[in-house]
Amino acid sequence: MKAVDINCDMGESFGAYSLGNDKEILTYISSANIACGFHAGDPATMKKTVRMALEAGVAIGAHPGFPDLVGFGRRNMELSAEEAHDIVVYQIGALQAFVQAEGGVMQHVKPHGALYNMAATRAPLAEAIAEAVYRVNPNLILFGLAGSELTKACEKIGLRAAHEVFADRTYQQDGTLTPRTQPNAMITDQDKSLTQVVRMVKEGVVQSEQGIDVPISADTICIHGDGAHAFEFAQHIRKALTAAQISVKAFHA
C-alpha cells in the first residue's frame, strides 16, 4: 500500500485575531506546520498549537515566513541570502523552544508563502534556507515544492527533503504553482481536487493548466486550514486516499 503525509499550515492566529480550524483539522492530518511569529502567530498561539499537535499525535514542523505580518507573508521581499538564512534560523529556534518545553521533537521545516515560492525557483535563496535548517539540526526534514530548487538544495547539502504537492492549487507545465494573482490558481471543485491528489500519489503526474501531464513526486500533500470549508475538505481527502488504498502517516514514520 502506498503511503503519503498530509500537512497543514497552523497556528496562524495572533493577538485578538483567530484564523483557521486547527483543532478540528488535526484529526485528519499527519504533520502540522506551525507559524513562528513573522507572517502570523504569536508565542501564546505557538504554545497552544504545539500542545494540540502533540495531543493529536501529529508531527510538528516550523513554518517560517517573511517578516510581513500585514501582507501575511505572501508578498515578495528582496532579502540577501544571509538575511534569509538568519530569519529562518530565528524562527526555527523560536518554535523548537516551545516543542522542547512541551516534551516533543520537531520533525520538519516548511517555508511559508512568498518565501516558499521564491525559493522554489531561486537557487541562492533555496540554498540559504537549506543551510539554515541544516545548521540548526541536520536531522530535520525540509518540505519544498516537488522538483524545485528548494528540494535540489537539500540534496546538495545532504539534508532530507520531502517533495510537497498541493491539493487545492493548480500547476503550470514547468511544475510550478499557478500564482495566486491569477484567477485559476485555486481549485474550488472538490472532486477535481481529490482526483488530482490521487493521481499525484499513485501515478506520479499532475495535469497542468496547459493540459499536459507533468511528472511529480508526492511525499507530502498540503491542505490549507484557513478556507471556508477546510474541515470538510480534510475529511474528504482522507476518505479519498483510503478508498484509493493510500495510507496517511507522517513523513518520518
Side-chain angles (χ1 to χ4, degrees):
M1 178 181 284
K2 282 186 172 289
V4 72
D5 176 55
I6 298 179
N7 75 79
C8 186
D9 303 343
M10 297 192 156
E12 293 180 322
S13 300
F14 58 94
Y17 301 94
S18 181
L19 304 174
N21 304 279
D22 293 357
K23 187 173 183 179
E24 294 82 3
I25 290 176
L26 278 166
T27 305
Y28 298 97
I29 66 172
S30 45
S31 294
N33 320 309
I34 302 178
C36 307
F38 272 32
H39 77 277
D42 59 27
T45 302
M46 291 165 71
K47 179 177 71 174
K48 177 183 177 181
T49 310
V50 165
R51 284 181 175 177
M52 289 194 301
L54 290 173
E55 289 171 1
V58 170
I60 295 172
H63 196 37
F66 282 133
D68 180 23
L69 193 63
V70 173
F72 198 66
R74 287 180 175 161
R75 300 184 294 190
N76 287 8
M77 295 183 71
E78 297 299 331
L79 302 186
S80 68
E82 183 176 6
E83 288 172 319
H85 170 279
D86 293 348
I87 67 167
V88 171
V89 169
Y90 185 98
Q91 291 175 82
I92 295 172
L95 187 71
Q96 185 168 272
F98 281 108
V99 175
Q100 291 178 346
E102 297 300 323
V105 176
M106 192 184 297
Q107 171 192 243
H108 69 279
V109 175
K110 176 188 166 179
H112 166 80
L115 181 62
Y116 178 100
N117 291 329
M118 291 173 68
T121 58
R122 300 188 186 186
L125 178 59
E127 290 168 5
I129 294 170
E131 182 182 356
V133 176
Y134 187 88
R135 293 184 67 181
V136 172
N137 182 353
N139 295 317
L140 289 170
I141 303 162
L142 182 55
F143 285 20
L145 184 68
S148 67
E149 291 295 336
L150 195 54
T151 57
K152 292 174 184 175
C154 292
E155 295 165 3
K156 184 176 179 180
I157 202 172
L159 189 68
R160 193 177 178 192
H163 291 263
E164 182 177 41
V165 297
F166 287 76
D168 57 359
R169 296 289 300 275
T170 60
Y171 283 78
Q172 296 298 298
Q173 60 185 359
D174 62 357
T176 61
L177 298 175
T178 304
R180 284 179 178 267
T181 52
Q182 296 186 18
N184 59 339
M186 304 299 296
I187 300 175
T188 56
D189 184 304
Q190 181 175 283
D191 291 336
K192 181 179 179 181
S193 180
L194 297 177
T195 298
Q196 174 169 293
V197 165
V198 171
R199 287 198 73 208
M200 288 191 291
V201 177
K202 298 200 78 170
E203 300 177 34
V205 296
V206 62
Q207 187 176 66
S208 69
E209 283 296 280
Q210 292 74 31
I212 299 169
D213 276 351
V214 179
I216 199 163
S217 297
D219 296 323
T220 183
I221 302 166
C222 175
I223 62 174
H224 290 103
D226 57 352
H229 305 289
F231 176 58
E232 292 83 357
F233 180 68
Q235 290 178 305
H236 288 303
I237 197 169
R238 280 297 294 258
K239 185 177 180 180
L241 291 171
T242 300
Q245 296 187 313
I246 300 168
S247 64
V248 174
K249 63 180 181 179
F251 186 69
H252 73 273

